[in-house]
Amino acid sequence: MAAIEEDDVSVILEEQREEIMAAKTLAQDHDLAFNLQMQEALAVSRAAHTSSPTLDFTAEEGDGFDYTSLILEDIARVDQERRDHEVGAQEMKRLKVDLDRRIHDQRFAKEIMNIPDADWSKDGDYFHKPYSLEEASSSSAVKVPPPFPAIGFESFRVYCKGLVSEEMIGETRVTVGGVGVALCDSSDNLIWEVAKVLGADESKSPQIAELEAILRALDEALTFDLGRVTFFIDDFNLFNYVTGRVEPRQSAVATLVNKVALLQKKFSYCQPSLLTRNDVKFVFKLARDAIVSQIKWPEETSKGKTFKETCVICYEGITVDKMFSVDGCFDRFCFSCMKQHVEVKLLGGKTATCPSDGCKSEVKMDCCAKFLDPKLVEVMIQRKKEGSINVSDKVYCPYPKCSELMAKAEVFEYTKQFFVGTEQSPARKCMKCGLFFCMQCKVPWHYKDTCDDFSKSKRYQNAGDGMLKSLAQSKRWRQCIRCNNMVELAFGCYHITCRCGYEFCYTCGAEWKNKKATCACPIWNERNIIRETNVNRRR
């Protein structure tokens, strides 16, 4: 049957509307004539039988169901759907033309870059290649989907991710799924992205959701008339299914794998590639957004309409702008619960991760400013920086108002820009306050004295590090030779394990190896072991 043109559909709908309106007018005329005849008959009857009760047979409007209005509404709905389809088709064509033109321009730019300077100086003014939809490579044996020749020959990268998650909607626990799809060119420049909701059958298992994501991604690629695509998967088992290395055991999974294989045949080139989860992070977020769209509900407030969702920790309905999304896994929790979680981790000296059981996604420090005190955020950033620098490489600015933590290598490279002879000098420039200090003496820079001379002077004894060493000597503290941390033995044995992991004898400082002393010092003293409180602790 011949296809009906869009203009013909519009004419048919208009004719149907006019016919129905004419029929409705005719029906109203018939009703009016019938009512008049009934009124005349009743008037004659009343004149002949004056004692008879008056009966009113007049038909009232609205006594019957108005099918005409219902049909007119259906016609209006179909007409609106047709108009929306036309707008969508025009927008898709515009996107295809823009993409085809961009690919054409990129190729032309590469051709220009490969032209020798001598040829360009001579013939550059005559070198041109205007874009045209009708142009095609007649020499290529590859079938190109018209009318976008550049798109047909270009290679594209397709990223997709399907997720299934148990969420709370009010007090009800539900399983929902979502899909994220992104189409990129060969240089990974984004062309098109979409987030779609999965149905109940499509959200039965993570593998089914992942396969549905691949199917949706390939459908989107076909919509753009892409000829050559590589689609990326972050699941090794799924990759083996799609490549045919392993046969899936579940019938539902096998059916979807076959559908993927059929879609692959519609491209001139279509092959899967395995990636890590971090490489598909942006489509992971799209899939998560699709899930969130299903678990939030509208609510009227004094400020207008807002949306809420349930926090899976406290089970409270929270407005979406008060929900925190963990970078990496995109699990969502309310600000209040995240604040308590992060604070507990900090007090325990640990780095905060996602509260979800088994999830190891790290909570980014800069994102915590939404719900944490700024000073606490600074503590988190400082603690993370301390953990990333080896103990022996840590350098602190000696100025009390600064105390910036730096690594030896980075402060060395920074100082080289301002200080000649940095390699032979212990002088370093603080990366925060900009003041010079001595890395060896750990004091503000002593310009006219060497480190040996300065360490013998009274200024050193009054300086921060000098005062610390003087205090340590009087208190009989021991300094770790690996990290220079001061250790005080309150009570317990003389076997010390520093916070950097170095083990040594508190009496002489000799190293312990394989949990054994390398010196002849006594391991313990009775006065340091026996306590009235029977509590042993080491500081």
Side-chain angles (χ1 to χ4, degrees):
M1 186 173 61
I4 300 177
E5 299 293 336
E6 293 291 340
D7 293 340
D8 295 338
V9 173
S10 179
V11 171
I12 292 172
L13 289 173
E14 186 62 30
E15 289 177 352
Q16 289 182 350
R17 186 183 292 105
E18 291 177 356
E19 290 175 0
I20 291 174
M21 290 300 296
K24 184 176 182 180
T25 303
L26 181 61
Q28 291 174 347
D29 292 342
H30 288 168
D31 290 342
L32 178 61
F34 176 77
N35 291 335
L36 290 174
Q37 291 176 0
M38 288 298 298
Q39 289 175 4
E40 291 177 358
L42 287 172
V44 173
S45 177
R46 279 196 296 269
H49 307 281
T50 56
S51 61
S52 300
T54 302
L55 300 176
D56 186 6
F57 292 99
T58 304
E60 297 180 2
E61 290 188 12
D63 287 347
F65 187 79
D66 192 356
Y67 292 98
T68 306
S69 299
L70 183 61
I71 295 174
L72 288 173
E73 289 178 1
D74 287 341
I75 292 178
R77 177 179 56 80
V78 172
D79 188 42
Q80 185 61 45
E81 290 178 354
R82 178 188 62 82
R83 294 175 185 273
D84 293 341
H85 177 73
E86 289 179 355
V87 173
Q90 292 173 0
E91 181 64 17
M92 180 57 66
K93 183 177 180 180
R94 184 190 66 79
L95 291 173
K96 290 179 183 179
V97 172
D98 289 344
L99 176 59
D100 201 65
R101 182 186 292 109
R102 188 172 76 179
I103 295 172
H104 169 274
D105 294 343
Q106 289 175 350
R107 289 180 177 177
F108 184 52
K110 290 180 180 178
E111 292 179 14
I112 292 177
M113 294 297 295
N114 293 328
I115 297 176
D117 292 340
D119 294 344
W120 179 256
S121 300
K122 181 180 179 181
D123 303 320
D125 293 340
Y126 305 101
F127 193 75
H128 60 90
K129 192 176 183 181
Y131 171 76
S132 173
L133 280 177
E134 286 72 25
E135 69 173 19
S137 177
S138 58
S139 61
S140 175
V142 181
K143 184 179 179 181
V144 181
F148 304 102
I151 293 179
F153 290 121
E154 185 71 11
S155 296
F156 293 88
R157 301 163 70 89
V158 178
Y159 298 90
C160 54
K161 184 65 183 178
L163 290 178
V164 174
S165 176
E166 282 192 358
E167 303 288 344
M168 295 296 298
I169 302 180
E171 298 181 356
T172 306
R173 185 174 294 275
V174 295
T175 300
V176 291
V179 163
V181 174
L183 307 182
C184 302
D185 61 16
S186 56
S187 300
D188 258 351
N189 297 312
L190 182 64
I191 299 171
W192 180 256
E193 65 179 13
V194 62
K196 292 187 176 181
V197 172
L198 290 178
D201 294 336
E202 300 167 332
S203 303
K204 289 182 178 179
S205 72
Q207 283 193 342
I208 290 178
E210 292 278 18
L211 287 167
E212 289 290 347
I214 296 175
L215 291 173
R216 306 268 176 118
L218 295 181
D219 281 335
E220 292 292 333
L222 288 173
T223 303
F224 274 86
D225 296 329
L226 306 187
R228 301 175 58 83
V229 299
T230 300
F231 60 96
F232 295 94
I233 305 173
D234 67 340
D235 187 295
F236 183 70
N237 292 330
L238 204 63
F239 178 77
N240 287 334
Y241 293 158
V242 175
T243 54
R245 299 176 183 177
V246 178
E247 290 290 334
R249 296 181 180 180
Q250 298 180 8
S251 60
V253 174
T255 301
L256 293 175
V257 170
N258 291 333
K259 288 183 178 180
V260 172
L262 291 175
L263 279 179
Q264 286 182 259
K265 295 179 181 179
K266 296 183 179 182
F267 298 87
S268 59
Y269 175 87
C270 182
Q271 291 297 324
S273 181
L274 188 64
L275 283 181
T276 62
R277 180 170 173 177
N278 287 335
D279 294 323
V280 294
K281 188 175 179 180
F282 58 107
V283 286
F284 191 99
K285 184 179 184 303
L286 291 173
R288 186 63 194 172
D289 289 343
I291 289 177
V292 172
S293 68
Q294 302 173 71
I295 61 176
K296 62 183 181 181
W297 66 89
E299 186 172 291
E300 293 293 338
T301 64
S302 58
K303 297 181 179 180
K305 187 177 181 180
T306 184
F307 287 91
K308 285 188 173 183
E309 59 180 286
T310 303
C311 173
V312 296
I313 295 179
C314 63
Y315 296 105
E316 294 288 339
I318 310 296
T319 55
V320 292
D321 60 332
K322 298 296 182 182
M323 296 291 289
F324 179 80
S325 180
V326 181
D327 192 27
C329 63
F330 300 103
D331 289 337
R332 294 168 65 84
F333 311 93
C334 71
F335 285 177
S336 178
C337 291
M338 281 301 302
K339 182 176 184 293
Q340 296 180 42
H341 172 73
V342 173
E343 287 177 348
V344 168
K345 291 293 183 181
L346 283 177
L347 290 174
K350 299 178 181 179
T351 302
T353 57
C354 175
S356 295
D357 187 27
C359 184
K360 298 181 180 179
S361 298
E362 184 180 346
V363 178
K364 296 294 182 65
M365 302 302 106
D366 50 349
C367 298
C368 293
K370 298 177 181 178
F371 55 84
L372 281 183
D373 184 89
K375 293 183 178 179
L376 196 55
V377 174
E378 292 181 7
V379 172
M380 292 178 64
I381 296 174
Q382 184 74 3
R383 181 163 294 175
K384 183 176 181 181
K385 188 175 182 180
E386 288 179 351
S388 64
I389 302 175
N390 191 285
V391 176
S392 59
D393 291 333
K394 291 180 180 178
V395 178
Y396 290 91
C397 176
Y399 292 92
K401 293 183 179 181
C402 181
S403 301
E404 175 71 2
L405 170 63
M406 298 163 283
K408 287 183 178 178
E410 65 176 356
V411 72
F412 173 78
E413 293 297 329
Y414 180 74
T415 306
K416 285 172 62 176
Q417 306 174 35
F418 307 95
F419 192 81
V420 179
T422 305
E423 295 81 356
Q424 293 79 31
S425 173
R428 296 293 183 266
K429 183 180 177 70
C430 178
M431 300 174 63
K432 182 180 180 181
C433 66
L435 299 176
F436 281 92
F437 65 93
C438 178
M439 193 173 68
Q440 182 173 327
C441 301
K442 297 180 177 60
V443 295
W445 180 238
H446 40 79
Y447 288 90
K448 297 181 180 180
D449 298 326
T450 63
C451 292
D452 291 336
D453 294 338
F454 182 78
S455 62
K456 299 174 184 178
S457 65
K458 292 183 178 180
R459 286 187 299 152
Y460 176 73
Q461 300 299 327
N462 295 328
D465 203 46
M467 293 179 65
L468 176 62
K469 288 185 177 181
S470 178
L471 179 63
Q473 187 174 3
S474 64
K475 296 290 186 179
R476 302 185 66 178
W477 295 344
R478 176 65 63 179
Q479 188 174 27
C480 174
I481 62 173
R482 177 185 289 180
C483 68
N484 295 325
N485 180 50
M486 286 293 180
V487 178
E488 177 189 8
L489 178 64
F491 38 81
C493 68
Y494 292 137
H495 173 210
I496 301 297
T497 301
C498 183
R499 65 182 182 183
C500 69
Y502 183 72
E503 300 179 41
F504 61 93
C505 172
Y506 189 79
T507 303
C508 67
E511 182 182 7
W512 274 56
K513 294 182 179 180
N514 300 322
K515 300 298 180 181
K516 294 182 180 179
T518 59
C519 62
C521 300
I523 299 178
W524 57 277
N525 189 306
E526 185 174 340
R527 63 194 173 104
N528 291 330
I529 298 297
I530 301 176
R531 304 287 294 182
E532 293 181 1
T533 57
N534 292 323
V535 177
N536 294 332
R537 65 183 179 89
R538 184 178 303 149
R539 191 168 56 189

